Amino acid sequence: MTEKTTMHPPAETLHDNKDVFLKSEFGLWSDREGFEPGEQFLIENYLRPDLKTLEAGCGGGRLLLAMQARGYTDLHGFDYLPQFVEAASRRDTAGRISFRVQDARSLDYGDDSFDQLMYLQQVLCFLPEEADRQRAAREAYRVLRPGGVLIVTLLGLRGRTRSLAFKALLAYQYLLRKLTFRRLSLQYQPWLRLQNAPNWSALWDRGPYVYWFREPEAVELFTNAGFELAAIGSEAQVCEGRLAESFDAFARLPHSGRLYIVCRKPIDGAA
Ligand SMILES: C[S@@+](CC[C@H](N)C(=O)[O-])C[C@H]1O[C@@H](n2cnc3c(N)ncnc32)[C@H](O)[C@@H]1O
């Protein structure tokens, strides 16, 4: 084992994903900088710098600070860990970004408050139950103004199952869960990496878990909340510089990596 892997908190001390972010992944997200290519693609193609923008799960403010440097003027972010909100506020030396402690499942922003929303870095995949993900999607819909845009990235199961190693892991977990009478969907996966190194306790199928979406349910999560799908794709479409405009068109395309989704709140959509 490398020194890095021995630095992990023991799996039994990580009770939920909030714990993972605080005790294990905090340093990775509190002072990161700059955009990843897929994030840059979504932000440049679907958001506007002059509009009021909210980021869910802002961590140390990496994305909002990079957007401020690119001329975005009305930026807001929330995270359920006060420690991230403090780190992000400290880094915003101009003090012009509003950072708040809030949980995506229950926001205290008013109805129709924002022109555009960012739910990137798979923030909805860390919610433990389907009901939590549905509540978060409904809250996103409520705080977005009619005609506003939501950009999302999610962990996608189809992209992942292209990897033979992941397929083998799924088969192993299927057996393990059968033998131990656990009725947990294989879409719930233990964290496969912690602190940028393999998380070997994943082999014991220990939680906390992250949720890997199937594409139809990912789209339904947002359309059931009231959104219209505007564009969808995976890493493969981002590399080509163009997302599909409908779910059916996407289903026919090659697929790799994360899911990228763009939604709109209908002009006549009520909060
Ligand atoms: C993968 S990190 C990404 C941080 C930041 N968005 C970035 O890209 O640098 C996910 C963040 O979402 C936050 N988070 C997870 N679930 C949340 C929830 N239900 N409500 C608010 N924040 C949440 C975590 O605390 C963490 O800061």
Side-chain angles (χ1 to χ4, degrees):
M1 243 195 241
T2 65
E3 199 187 337
K4 248 193 151 177
T5 53
T6 57
M7 282 163 55
H8 294 168
E12 60 274 16
T13 70
L14 300 175
H15 299 295
D16 57 22
N17 285 328
K18 212 174 188 176
D19 245 15
V20 177
F21 281 115
L22 184 60
K23 295 183 187 165
S24 173
E25 303 303 275
F26 188 79
L28 280 187
W29 295 103
S30 58
D31 53 9
R32 268 182 78 176
E33 291 180 1
F35 293 138
E36 292 179 5
E39 296 165 344
Q40 185 164 350
F41 170 85
L42 281 183
I43 290 168
E44 285 180 355
N45 285 286
Y46 296 99
L47 302 188
R48 279 179 30 192
D50 56 323
L51 297 181
K52 188 174 176 186
T53 307
L54 175 69
E55 186 196 4
C58 60
R62 174 180 68 95
L63 291 167
L64 293 175
L65 289 165
M67 290 165 79
Q68 186 178 55
R70 284 166 172 77
Y72 281 73
T73 50
D74 196 354
L75 294 170
H76 304 251
F78 69 84
D79 201 285
Y80 62 5
L81 278 174
Q83 292 85 343
F84 271 130
V85 169
E86 279 159 29
S89 305
R90 258 199 316 274
R91 293 174 82 197
D92 177 24
T93 48
R96 284 201 294 264
I97 305 176
S98 157
F99 290 107
R100 307 254 298 264
V101 180
Q102 294 205 49
D103 189 311
R105 286 165 281 199
S106 173
L107 301 177
D108 66 13
Y109 302 107
D111 297 353
D112 307 337
S113 308
F114 296 94
D115 301 309
Q116 40 198 23
L117 306 180
M118 304 162 33
Y119 281 57
L120 303 181
Q121 284 298 337
Q122 300 75 255
V123 61
L124 296 177
C125 299
F126 304 114
L127 290 166
E129 307 275 349
E130 189 180 354
D132 295 302
R133 297 186 283 276
Q134 289 169 346
R135 276 174 66 191
R138 284 198 301 269
E139 279 294 79
Y141 181 86
R142 182 183 66 74
V143 302
L144 185 64
R145 69 149 165 86
V149 171
L150 162 71
I151 59 174
V152 183
T153 60
L154 297 172
L155 296 170
L157 200 64
R158 175 155 72 116
R160 193 66 195 220
T161 47
R162 287 161 50 98
S163 141
L164 282 181
F166 191 72
K167 270 190 187 153
L169 180 70
L170 284 183
Y172 164 77
Q173 281 169 342
Y174 174 80
L175 273 178
L176 198 63
R177 290 181 191 184
K178 274 263 177 244
L179 289 172
T180 52
F181 303 104
R182 291 188 74 201
R183 295 169 61 108
L184 183 64
S185 158
L186 288 173
Q187 287 175 260
Y188 285 96
Q189 288 291 315
W191 286 67
L192 301 180
R193 294 179 73 76
L194 287 175
Q195 296 172 5
N196 266 339
N199 171 27
W200 298 112
S201 74
L203 290 175
W204 301 111
D205 199 19
R206 291 213 185 102
Y209 295 94
V210 290
Y211 189 73
W212 292 71
F213 278 86
R214 295 185 192 278
E215 287 143 34
E217 71 166 328
V219 173
E220 265 172 36
L221 178 67
F222 298 105
T223 53
N224 287 346
F227 290 102
E228 288 166 352
L229 181 69
I232 181 165
S234 69
E235 221 76 57
Q237 286 67 53
V238 169
C239 288
E240 283 168 10
R242 193 185 158 91
L243 299 184
E245 279 165 19
S246 71
F247 181 75
D248 289 345
F250 176 49
R252 291 191 293 272
L253 295 174
H255 186 119
S256 63
R258 291 175 203 169
L259 273 175
Y260 291 77
I261 295 180
V262 181
C263 292
R264 245 172 246 292
K265 179 164 171 174
I267 293 286
D268 55 1

